[in-house]
Amino acid sequence: MDVLRDPTHIGMFEPQDLEILKGVFTRLTVSESPRLDDAKARSLARSIITLYRHGVHDPDRIFDVLQAEAS
C-alpha cells in the first residue's frame, strides 16, 4: 500500500525537513539565557512542527512567527 510508505501520511519527516526544523529550533534557542527548560523546549518544538505541518516551510517565516509570539 503506497499510502503507508508516504511519510506525509504517517507523520514522518524527510532528512531535509529535519534540517529545517532543527535550524529554526537552534536559531530560536541560541539567544535564550538562561537555557529553556525541558517543558518550554518541547512546547517550542511542537510549535515549529505545527507550523511546518500546516505548510509554512520557509525557515525564516517560521522563525519570524515564533519570535513575534515570544515578544
Side-chain angles (χ1 to χ4, degrees):
M1 186 178 253
D2 288 334
V3 171
L4 294 179
R5 288 187 213 138
D6 183 353
T8 60
H9 291 285
I10 57 176
M12 293 175 59
F13 294 106
E14 296 291 327
Q16 64 270 20
D17 299 321
L18 295 175
E19 286 300 315
I20 291 170
L21 297 169
K22 178 183 170 186
V24 173
F25 184 85
T26 299
R27 283 178 63 194
L28 287 166
T29 59
V30 75
S31 63
E32 287 294 321
S33 184
R35 290 181 48 134
L36 291 176
D37 63 24
D38 285 345
K40 288 181 182 177
R42 280 192 299 273
S43 177
L44 177 60
R46 275 193 295 275
S47 296
I48 294 168
I49 291 168
T50 298
L51 285 171
Y52 197 83
R53 283 191 170 153
H54 281 90
V56 184
H57 293 172
D58 177 8
D60 293 327
R61 180 72 180 129
I62 297 169
F63 178 84
D64 291 343
V65 168
L66 294 176
Q67 190 167 33
E69 285 182 8
S71 299

